[in-house]
Amino acid sequence: MNVQVEILMAFFLLSCLMLAACSRMLHCIRIVALQGLLLGLMPLAAAEHIHMHQIGAAFLNISLKAVLLPLLLKAAMHKAQVKRELEPLVGYAASLLIVLGGMFISFWLGRKLNLPENAGALRLAVPVAFSVVLTGLFIIMARKKAITQVIGFLTFENGIALFGSAMMIECGLAVELGILLDVFVLVFIMGIAVMRINSAFEHIDSDKLNLLEEQTHGAAK
Amino acid sequence: MIELYLIFLPAVFAALIALSRKPVVIKILLAVAALLHLAGVIMLFNRLQEDAAALLPGWLEADFPGMIVVCIASALFCAVAIYTLFWLPASRKFEIQYPTMSSHALCSVMCLFLSTMSLTAFAANFGLLWVAVEATTLASAPLIAFRRSRAALEAMWKYLVICSVGIGLALLGTFMLGAAARFSSQGFTDLSFRSFISIKEYLDPQYFKAAFLFCLAGYGLKMGLAPFHVWLPDAYSESPAPVSVLLSGALVNCSFLAIVRVTAAVPEKLQSFCSEYLIGLGILSLFVAACFIIRQKDFKRMLAYSSVEHMGLMAIFWGLQMTDAALLHMIGHSACKMILFFMAGNIFLVYGTKEYRYISGMFSTMPLAACIWLGGMLFICGVPPSPLFTTEIMLIQKAGGVLGLLILLPLFVIFCGMTRTALEMTMGPAGEVPRKEAVPAGLRLSIIPAFLAFIPLAAGIYLIFQL
């Protein structure tokens, strides 16, 4: 197994732990940018011979996930004037424990999957990818602010992309571009929605978005 | 060639509409886009019988289920475009409590939505299919927040977050499908349906099971199968009438098509495993829909839960491998739901509320609307001569004893809940009408669904004689 890949994977795991314990929004955005960078470098580190199109793909991935999306998120953050996630639904110490638990489960699952002996980096990639996916899902559920949920979604998506690149599933250029475009447009729309919610509700706490619960007496307007 | 035409034509018109500012031009462009798209679909149907080769094999191919889906989407879009021409001015005049999206933004995004749905129908590659389904989410999310009310914004946020996470799971499922091929004896080539179907017996069963479950959860969430349906009632009830028609009539079919594509690659020995999950989720959807319909106060949410019910039925159809009946049910459901959501929009326009207890005596205030509303409710519940009656009879015959009972029981509860609501709204003394001046507009708008109602009626009568 090659060393560079192992280092990148270790950084990925660290970024998950940092994200779970981080309350300042700007830090969270930087961590997601770091994940984007790691994700872009992964195919270059894993490949034995580096081709031109791999460099192109890495460049595209890094410029979108490590530069453009974080800038977008920062703009939305400034517009909505949120700096911190002050009262998360799950405290930071508990969050760390839960994310660690998620990693434990992921590694246990990774051992259960019968990967071939010569799989190399794959043996580490699957559990790491699952850890990142679980962390993202946890952030979406455990944080209140709409922006933090977007950050959680990006982490979730990074985990899935990590799985794809580790399994070396070549979907073709059109699909890879399509996936990147979809993620970009999604974050863009989410950013606009954050601003709209901010101006309509005067806050972006998504746990207070509860007008539409099922009610027995008179449903929501 | 026509596939590309059908995908890019609405996108081009979306750009044109976005650039134009005159209301008349926007309306003409929307109608022309809808008609040209429908013409393209008819041409494609003719070409499909000639069995010509696909333009981009492995990427874009037109086959029978895809054709049905794009045909429904196109026909519905045509009806929606015509309805929107008359609905927009009326809505601008009478529904003034919230600021709304501008007309050109609405029409432009609606065209984009049609383009993404066409792409979903023609995608012949699991990766491209995922990109297309996610694109339908992105194109439909702004439409839900047409009214800038708090409730609509909340519905849009939930739709975006829940659907994106769900579709993310489907992407994980897609990569797992790739892994299942990678660890098979044949090796991984590409993600096209054709190469998967050719090697499906060799796929790694463990990875395939995981891939199937992730795809079922992801695309099932988008389709509205319980227990992943939470976003659906909010989105359907908060969106304006033309958008809820497109969401409930066309979008769910695209998501169902995605599940159809995945089941086409199921190896023979895992067939029963996959069927059990489809039938199980279907039955659960029926029961969830029954529970929420019987105590529902909001008639648009009631229609949304009825969609959950019909998606459940379609999953059961597919689990029992009744492919033709499933497609027939899909067409029938889309036609009936379209009429009902148009009518719900008209009723909301006149009464300004979605709670049925404030509405009564529609037979005396808006007789035409009352007839279609009551008839539509009976049709969606599968009362003969509805086309859904025939397909449901076929389903019960195939399902047999215990499963048949499990299907019939929630269907009966749903029938009671929906007809009760419809009867209370239409019968009785004429209640107070908050927007008296909107009644003529509401009646005029009901003429379009009145004409459309002949389609399921004629189809239903024809099907009963075929039974």
Side-chain angles (χ1 to χ4, degrees):
Chain A
M1 195 194 300
N2 103 33
V3 186
Q4 296 97 303
V5 176
E6 271 185 32
I7 294 173
L8 289 181
M9 295 284 179
F11 270 113
F12 242 112
L13 285 183
L14 270 179
S15 74
C16 288
L17 290 175
M18 276 155 76
L19 205 57
C22 174
S23 77
R24 284 188 58 194
M25 209 84 55
L26 201 59
H27 275 174
C28 290
I29 294 174
R30 283 187 188 140
I31 295 169
V32 172
L34 172 74
Q35 283 184 350
L37 183 68
L38 294 175
L39 195 63
L41 292 178
M42 191 68 74
L44 296 185
E48 283 160 14
H49 307 286
I50 295 174
H51 296 288
M52 226 20 230
H53 73 267
Q54 280 175 322
I55 297 176
F59 175 73
L60 213 69
N61 245 314
I62 291 173
S63 53
L64 189 83
K65 285 194 167 165
V67 182
L68 211 54
L69 290 183
L71 281 180
L72 245 164
L73 280 177
K74 258 189 210 170
M77 191 188 90
H78 285 302
K79 278 266 170 137
Q81 296 188 321
V82 223
K83 293 225 168 73
R84 283 167 179 277
E85 172 90 42
L86 280 179
E87 293 166 343
L89 294 179
V90 181
Y92 293 108
S95 299
L96 261 179
L97 270 180
I98 291 172
V99 167
L100 268 177
M103 285 178 184
F104 182 77
I105 294 171
S106 310
F107 274 85
W108 177 73
L109 269 177
R111 281 178 69 92
K112 294 266 282 187
L113 284 176
N114 51 353
L115 290 166
E117 280 305 317
N118 57 357
L122 266 181
R123 290 189 155 274
L124 198 56
V126 174
V128 173
F130 275 125
S131 312
V132 181
V133 167
L134 286 178
T135 311
L137 281 178
F138 171 73
I139 298 274
I140 294 174
M141 285 186 281
R143 300 288 184 263
K144 281 188 203 168
K145 302 276 184 223
I147 291 192
T148 332
Q149 289 185 329
V150 183
I151 293 172
F153 177 78
L154 273 179
T155 312
F156 169 77
E157 214 278 332
N158 282 341
I160 294 170
L162 180 63
F163 183 84
S165 76
M167 285 284 178
M168 282 185 269
I169 290 161
E170 311 217 340
C171 356
L173 190 66
V175 173
E176 281 195 30
L177 283 180
I179 293 174
L180 282 180
L181 184 71
D182 272 350
V183 172
F184 174 71
V185 176
L186 177 69
V187 173
F188 190 74
I189 295 180
M190 277 179 160
I192 294 173
V194 165
M195 289 176 216
R196 287 267 156 74
I197 291 173
N198 190 46
S199 58
F201 290 79
E202 283 136 17
H203 65 74
I204 53 166
D205 291 4
S206 56
D207 68 320
K208 288 187 196 128
L209 293 181
N210 53 8
L211 283 171
L212 295 175
E213 309 271 289
E214 285 295 342
Q215 290 159 0
T216 38
H217 289 289
K221 269 204 300 188
Chain B
M1 201 60 208
I2 306 178
E3 291 95 325
L4 283 177
Y5 163 80
L6 288 177
I7 293 165
F8 285 109
L9 170 96
V12 170
F13 271 86
L16 286 179
I17 292 173
L19 289 174
S20 59
R21 282 291 179 276
K22 282 207 179 111
V24 186
V25 179
I26 294 171
K27 283 178 181 175
I28 293 173
L29 284 176
L30 184 67
V32 169
L35 290 173
L36 284 179
H37 194 270
L38 195 60
V41 169
I42 294 167
M43 270 161 65
L44 190 57
F45 246 113
N46 286 334
R47 210 206 57 190
L48 203 63
Q49 281 153 3
E50 291 163 17
D51 210 24
L55 184 67
L56 295 165
W59 290 100
L60 291 176
E61 284 169 39
D63 62 346
F64 187 62
M67 276 308 297
I68 298 280
V69 167
V70 80
C71 205
I72 296 174
S74 186
L76 241 63
F77 190 83
C78 225
V80 164
I82 296 165
Y83 180 85
T84 312
L85 300 187
F86 301 101
W87 173 82
L88 257 178
S91 159
R92 291 257 182 273
K93 198 167 162 197
F94 300 112
E95 297 176 343
I96 42 173
Q97 60 278 52
Y98 298 112
T100 55
M101 204 173 178
S102 61
S103 305
H104 67 266
L106 175 79
C107 298
S108 163
V109 180
M110 260 166 42
C111 284
L112 268 186
F113 187 31
L114 179 65
S115 164
T116 55
M117 286 196 291
S118 311
L119 180 61
T120 314
F122 296 132
N125 178 299
F126 283 109
L128 195 62
L129 179 72
W130 183 86
V131 171
V133 174
E134 173 69 21
T136 60
T137 312
L138 299 175
S140 51
L143 296 175
I144 293 172
F146 172 73
R147 297 190 188 97
R148 299 265 160 80
S149 65
R150 289 181 167 201
L153 275 176
E154 179 184 333
M156 176 201 171
W157 183 255
K158 280 185 182 165
Y159 177 72
L160 261 183
V161 172
I162 298 177
C163 283
S164 305
V165 169
I167 298 287
L169 292 181
L171 180 61
L172 193 56
T174 305
F175 286 151
M176 288 219 170
L177 269 180
R182 200 176 177 74
F183 295 121
S184 71
S185 52
Q186 302 292 305
F188 176 72
T189 46
D190 57 12
L191 282 171
S192 69
F193 299 155
R194 207 170 274 184
S195 57
F196 267 90
I197 290 171
S198 65
I199 59 163
K200 68 177 183 181
E201 296 307 329
Y202 305 101
L203 291 176
D204 182 272
Q206 202 185 359
Y207 275 99
F208 188 84
K209 274 185 190 175
F212 178 78
L213 291 183
F214 276 116
C215 286
L216 184 64
Y219 293 130
L221 184 143
K222 192 75 200 303
M223 179 178 153
L225 284 176
F228 315 115
H229 66 283
V230 281
W231 59 273
L232 189 139
D234 297 347
Y236 284 16
S237 83
E238 290 311 318
S239 50
V243 177
S244 29
V245 170
L246 284 180
L247 288 179
S248 66
L251 178 61
V252 286
N253 299 343
C254 294
S255 321
F256 179 65
L257 185 68
I259 292 184
V260 168
R261 302 301 195 198
V262 178
T263 49
V266 175
E268 195 65 46
K269 52 186 181 289
L270 292 179
Q271 203 78 53
S272 64
F273 168 84
C274 298
S275 292
E276 276 164 23
Y277 271 92
L278 276 170
I279 295 172
L281 282 187
I283 296 281
L284 185 66
S285 304
L286 287 181
F287 275 93
V288 166
C291 292
F292 281 100
I293 280 178
I294 198 75
R295 53 193 278 277
Q296 192 54 254
K297 307 279 179 196
D298 176 332
F299 60 82
K300 263 189 123 175
R301 289 179 86 89
M302 173 169 286
L303 294 181
Y305 280 110
S306 152
S307 284
V308 175
E309 171 215 344
H310 285 283
M311 289 308 112
L313 282 174
M314 263 148 67
I316 299 173
F317 272 119
W318 210 258
L320 293 173
Q321 276 144 24
M322 303 168 69
T323 50
D324 291 343
L327 294 177
L328 208 56
H329 193 87
M330 181 162 92
I331 300 171
H333 167 251
S334 291
C336 296
K337 220 13 114 30
M338 162 180 75
I339 292 160
L340 279 170
F341 268 114
F342 277 145
M343 289 316 298
N346 298 344
I347 296 170
F348 182 67
L349 185 75
V350 172
Y351 284 87
T353 177
K354 281 179 244 161
E355 282 184 53
Y356 76 84
R357 56 185 173 153
Y358 297 123
I359 302 170
S360 70
M362 268 168 52
F363 266 122
S364 30
T365 49
M366 327 163 59
L368 176 67
C371 288
I372 310 167
W373 180 245
L374 190 58
M377 282 290 205
L378 290 175
F379 259 51
I380 203 81
C381 293
V383 174
S386 162
L388 302 179
F389 169 74
T390 315
T391 50
E392 281 167 19
I393 286 275
M394 284 155 79
L395 178 65
I396 302 294
Q397 277 174 345
K398 176 93 183 239
V402 183
L403 187 58
L405 201 66
L406 277 176
I407 296 169
L408 275 180
L409 187 72
L411 282 187
F412 179 68
V413 175
I414 289 166
F415 170 74
C416 294
M418 293 195 69
T419 43
R420 173 175 153 250
T421 311
L423 285 174
E424 282 194 19
M425 284 166 73
T426 49
M427 303 289 188
E432 195 192 329
V433 183
R435 293 182 191 143
K436 281 216 170 52
E437 64 285 2
V439 173
L443 279 175
R444 263 202 310 281
L445 280 174
S446 304
I447 295 173
I448 299 164
F451 272 110
L452 294 173
F454 284 105
I455 300 168
L457 187 67
I461 292 171
Y462 173 76
L463 281 176
I464 285 178
F465 282 109
Q466 296 290 309
L467 197 64

